[in-house]
Amino acid sequence: MNLNYELSEQDQLAARLAVGERIHYCVPADLSLEGKRTLGYFVVGKEKWAYIQNGELIESCRIADACDYNVVPLIGNAILEATQDHTKRLIVRISMQHVARFAYIAQILNYMAEGSKIRIYNNETEMVCPRCGGGLLPGTRLCPKCMNKAAVLKRLLDVSKSHWKKLSLGLFILFLTLVVALTGPYFQKLLVNSSLQPQPGESPSLSLFFLAIFGMLFGLAAGELLNVAKGRVMATVSSTIAADLRKLVYDKIQSLSLGFLTSQRAGDLMNRIMADTGRIQHLIQEIFTTAIYQFIMLVSVTFLLLNTDWKLALIVLVPAPLVAYLQITIWRRVLNRLFRKQWQVNDKANSYLHDVLSGIRVVKMFGKESREIKRFRQYNSEYAAAAVHAEKIYSILAPVSTYLLQLGTYFVLLVGCHMILKGTLNLGELVQFTGYASMIFGPLAWLMNMPRWIANAVIAIDRVFSVIDEEPEILDTKHSVKHSIHGNVQFCGVTFGYKSYEPVLKNLNFEIKPGEMIGLVGHSGSGKSTLINLVSRFYDVNEGEILIDGMDIRKIQQEDLRSQIGVVLQETLLFSGSIIENIRYSKPEATMEEVIQAAKIANAHDFIIQLPDGYDTKLEENGNNLSGGERQRITIARAVLHNPRILILDEATASLDIDTESVIQEALQRIMKSRTTIAIAHRLSTLRNADRLLVLEKGKIAEIGTHRELMQRKGIYYNLTMAQRNIG
Amino acid sequence: MVKVESTLCSQEIVEKKTDLSEAARIHYLTPENTEFALTEGKLLSVRVDGELYPVVYLHCSFPHSNKRMFISVRTSENQEVGMVKSLDEFPVDIVRLLDEQIHMRYFAPIITKVINIHEEFGYSYWEAETTAGHLQFTVRRGGGNVKMVSSVKVLITDLDGNRFLIEDVNQLSEKEYRMVEMSL
Ligand SMILES: Nc1ncnc2c1ncn2[C@@H]1O[C@H](COP(=O)(O)OP(=O)(O)OP(=O)(O)O)[C@@H](O)[C@H]1O
Ligand SMILES: [Mg+2]
């Protein structure tokens, strides 16, 4: 992270004057107290800090005069505070862009104020684009300069490449169709000129007549057959390509961090997987069946027209580019926006539907059905309105431009008849010409329709690839290794926040020995779940490291790591499917016996066996047809079957009565002998078997020790225990 | 008959309300029991019923729908000192002081003119005139980064977490509105 910005000469002068010759740190402080963005800088020298703005010193002060330098994140901005003369004071105000930087600066100032050595791991490098060296979008690996649409279309081609055999078959059929179609007008001319109105001096030829008739017939039949074949080939190719894409998106989503996924709505992601890839499929199909065909048609017909009579050809062709240009402008300016809007409304309605349906219990519980119906109606009519609006504009624009094109035919007949009367053109040629001319309107009119689906498809590609291009924040590197976990877990100076400037866990240091059971206690929101998320490496620490058997977990392959950690989460998550499938999820190859053993340990066997369908009982979405405690026991069985080296229980037995809980506890104790367990519980009796207890308070370790030690200390743990005893 | 019923109803409502307030026990700060002051270090301090809180922060209950009502006064340890029901209960100079503090905490420059919004690959690039000056910022699509927070107000959160407001979408020009609408 850059903590040493370049100052302008003027600023530098002022800064040196204020803090001394050597400037140790210099970062932008870009917000004035009045709320204006400024080009201010916060400069740290040997003994003083200074706030410089436009070459002027605003304020400066000795660093040691204050203590507790601290960045306070407000909403949409932040301030650097310190305690001076026993009261808090404000030092500078900054925009969110530099909050992380100031978090470092605050630490540095604290070290300087204490006069101790500056221990700062400033290894948070600011990423630059590997291609152009420019800055990346914060929090992503995307360079705004190096992204472009053409590149994305090329990506689409790359995806399609693996199906080149089928694609070229499709293209071959397409060419055949084209050739067959182009013979039509030629046979028409033959028909007219050889038998209907032979040239002066020639007699009607019956054989040519039959040849022409047969040729036309053959053209029609073959054309249709080829069309069918082409459609079939392209349908299979495009759907396999779409399936490939869907898989790409799906795989990507699986590999993305929890952080990214929780920031997206499930409905949004679903849409990207299903609807958008569907649109891309349509695009590919259109390109290979229609677009290429129409394009070649356009070129060859133009050539044939010019060849027949260039003057007539010009009459047809001149208005065409004008109309095409009109179309493109319309597409860019109006339709793109209209259709995009229509989609967004559609997406919104879908996500809303998803939300309401999955929360239907709450809706019913409060009797709010009619309100939800009203809301959905509103979304629905919004969508309808957007669709009608878009279609309305489209329906006005489309006929106008088609009409412009048709005007060409009128002029051809006008000029053509005149030429026949003058004798410079014969009837057959006019027939052939109008035949070709009518073929040019097809492609042109179609080109006009193109904006519609291209608009849709480009947006779809854009949305799909924006997921595919998302870089997982948590990456395996080349050096990641497999490691068979023994069970030692060590936190060394771990600091972590979901946003790096707002630490949830602060400088945690502790070690868990192999086979130990650790109870994690603390108030709600103190960071317990966060801590175990770090052990499973759902997030990477901001500072410090987590060691498993002395090895940094960032050096262990994620899949390998997680396959050895069993987690039962606070919220139970079951899939729709049978109970056995759900238990087996963690180990698909488990035998029936193993499943039953796991269920037995989790104390789930007894209730499952009572069900009419036993282990084959189908669970509804998230196991809604079971009780909360039953669901929890199934998730415990799932974790146990997994046979993890480290077991993590986050309020895993909270919905169970004390008796059931103690039975499970006892069984777990047996299986987890010699395995590391981290258990979180608010009900402290749950943790009575724990070897040691770790009390978290506001992200820091407040107490650590055995039950007896902590009781003697009469601290937080003691108070919690006493409070619960009193209730009991 | 009808009359009796309606009075009964309203009585019930009143009673329910007091039930709730009884249970919630909100401590309201009024000009009589509270003295706000700006510290030398440009922060806010408050003395309530004789007890001094050297630094307090103001948290709005409804930062979007009404900034002037139900303001929670909290210490840096996030303890609630009390609630200000409405700013208007306080004298003008105190209101100005509190207003400043609220604006400091809830910082969102107001977009006065949208110059350009260019959208690509899941990010939109904004250029706008705001009350904080001419700004360019990048917004990630989806995830509620551009959202309506009232029937006319739009809140935009950029990649860093800076927030911007469009006070009234209906005041935008046709062209601006179309650009903004696309990002919603
Ligand atoms: N995904 C997230 N994004 C941002 N902040 C989060 C996220 N998850 C948790 N937090 C915040 O981190 C803090 C600690 O949360 P955590 O879930 O670790 O608490 P906890 O100790 O498990 O509480 P509980 O006992 O209620 O489960 C909370 O202030 C919470 O708001
Ligand atoms: Mg939790």
Side-chain angles (χ1 to χ4, degrees), chain A residues 527-598:
Chain A
K528 302 181 297 292
S529 303
T530 307
L531 190 149
I532 58 167
N533 276 340
L534 292 184
V535 175
S536 333
R537 209 183 160 207
F538 285 136
Y539 301 91
D540 270 340
V541 298
N542 298 126
E543 264 177 51
E545 52 186 3
I546 297 172
L547 306 174
I548 287 185
D549 304 335
M551 184 190 260
D552 191 328
I553 59 168
R554 284 169 291 198
K555 297 212 174 87
I556 305 176
Q557 280 176 18
Q558 289 176 59
E559 239 189 282
D560 188 53
L561 175 75
R562 295 196 190 122
S563 72
Q564 297 175 72
I565 298 181
V567 186
V568 184
L569 286 182
Q570 209 161 6
E571 59 269 31
T572 53
L573 271 177
L574 297 173
F575 299 104
S576 31
S578 64
I579 291 183
I580 186 165
E581 281 164 0
N582 265 289
I583 297 180
R584 238 188 212 162
Y585 187 79
S586 61
K587 188 182 172 194
E589 72 281 4
T591 63
M592 285 177 173
E593 195 184 358
E594 284 173 312
V595 171
I596 293 174
Q597 283 165 349

Side-chain angles (χ1 to χ4, degrees), chain A residues 31 33 35-37 59 72-77 79 81 87-90 93 95-97 137-140 142 144 147-149 152 260 263-264 268 272 333 336-337 340-341 344 459 462-463 465-466 469-470 501 698, chain B residues 39-43 54-55 57 76-77 79 103-109 117 119-123 125 130-136 138 140-144 158-164 177-179 181-184:
Chain A
L31 204 56
L33 281 183
K36 291 262 183 284
R37 288 286 182 96
E59 201 188 350
V72 182
L74 304 175
I75 315 290
N77 71 136
I79 50 178
E81 272 186 4
T87 57
K88 285 258 176 205
R89 63 154 297 179
L90 189 154
R93 191 178 183 198
S95 81
M96 299 305 274
Q97 195 185 344
L137 294 175
T140 71
L142 300 178
M147 299 189 297
N148 64 56
K149 290 244 144 86
V152 157
F260 174 80
S263 73
Q264 305 276 322
D268 255 3
R272 290 200 202 176
R333 304 237 161 243
N336 194 2
R337 291 224 160 94
R340 202 194 270 236
K341 162 84 183 168
Q344 277 167 352
I459 300 167
D462 176 310
R463 285 167 32 130
F465 276 98
S466 73
D469 284 339
E470 192 68 36
Y501 51 85
K698 291 192 185 141
Chain B
T39 68
E40 237 170 81
K42 295 182 195 123
L43 296 167
V55 202
Y57 300 90
S76 48
E77 266 75 56
Q79 294 291 324
H103 277 106
M104 165 106 100
R105 180 175 171 80
Y106 295 92
F107 181 63
I117 302 174
E119 200 165 316
E120 208 168 41
F121 300 102
Y123 294 89
Y125 304 86
T130 72
T131 49
H134 179 106
L135 295 177
Q136 288 181 324
T138 306
R140 182 183 226 139
R141 185 156 62 208
D158 79 356
L159 277 178
D160 292 311
N162 292 309
R163 291 148 67 101
F164 306 91
Y177 182 76
R178 261 189 281 136
M179 290 193 287
E181 195 187 25
M182 296 320 305
S183 321
L184 275 172

Side-chain angles (χ1 to χ4, degrees), chain A residues 312-323:
Chain A
L312 271 183
L314 285 184
I315 295 173
V316 183
L317 296 174
V318 163
L322 191 78
V323 177

Side-chain angles (χ1 to χ4, degrees), chain A residues 262 498 504 523-531 539 570 650 682:
Chain A
T262 45
Y498 293 94
V504 173
H523 290 115
S524 179
S526 58
K528 302 181 297 292
S529 303
T530 307
L531 190 149
Y539 301 91
Q570 209 161 6
D650 189 349
H682 284 297

Side-chain angles (χ1 to χ4, degrees), chain A residues 386-591:
Chain A
V388 167
H389 188 54
E391 293 294 338
K392 229 196 238 161
I393 293 193
Y394 190 81
S395 66
I396 294 171
L397 291 175
V400 169
S401 43
T402 318
Y403 177 75
L404 283 176
L405 275 184
Q406 299 285 351
L407 226 55
T409 330
Y410 172 76
F411 283 115
V412 166
L413 282 179
L414 195 82
V415 179
C417 291
H418 185 69
M419 284 165 88
I420 290 183
L421 289 179
K422 272 201 331 199
T424 47
L425 193 75
N426 62 44
L427 188 58
E429 276 165 349
L430 184 64
V431 168
Q432 186 188 19
F433 191 87
T434 42
Y436 284 138
S438 69
M439 282 183 170
I440 208 163
F441 293 133
L444 273 181
W446 183 85
L447 275 181
M448 297 188 169
N449 274 316
M450 208 166 74
R452 243 172 102 131
W453 57 264
I454 289 235
N456 281 354
V458 164
I459 300 167
I461 296 178
D462 176 310
R463 285 167 32 130
V464 164
F465 276 98
S466 73
V467 175
I468 295 181
D469 284 339
E470 192 68 36
E471 286 283 341
E473 283 154 45
I474 295 176
L475 281 170
D476 278 338
T477 62
K478 276 188 290 247
H479 310 293
S480 302
V481 292
K482 282 196 181 340
H483 170 75
S484 160
I485 294 179
H486 190 58
N488 181 298
V489 180
Q490 198 180 348
F491 274 57
C492 302
V494 169
T495 296
F496 170 78
Y498 293 94
K499 301 187 189 87
S500 63
Y501 51 85
E502 240 182 331
V504 173
L505 297 176
K506 295 158 204 157
N507 194 19
L508 297 190
N509 283 296
F510 61 87
E511 184 176 353
I512 306 172
K513 291 184 209 72
E516 209 177 8
M517 174 171 174
I518 291 286
L520 208 50
V521 194
H523 290 115
S524 179
S526 58
K528 302 181 297 292
S529 303
T530 307
L531 190 149
I532 58 167
N533 276 340
L534 292 184
V535 175
S536 333
R537 209 183 160 207
F538 285 136
Y539 301 91
D540 270 340
V541 298
N542 298 126
E543 264 177 51
E545 52 186 3
I546 297 172
L547 306 174
I548 287 185
D549 304 335
M551 184 190 260
D552 191 328
I553 59 168
R554 284 169 291 198
K555 297 212 174 87
I556 305 176
Q557 280 176 18
Q558 289 176 59
E559 239 189 282
D560 188 53
L561 175 75
R562 295 196 190 122
S563 72
Q564 297 175 72
I565 298 181
V567 186
V568 184
L569 286 182
Q570 209 161 6
E571 59 269 31
T572 53
L573 271 177
L574 297 173
F575 299 104
S576 31
S578 64
I579 291 183
I580 186 165
E581 281 164 0
N582 265 289
I583 297 180
R584 238 188 212 162
Y585 187 79
S586 61
K587 188 182 172 194
E589 72 281 4
T591 63

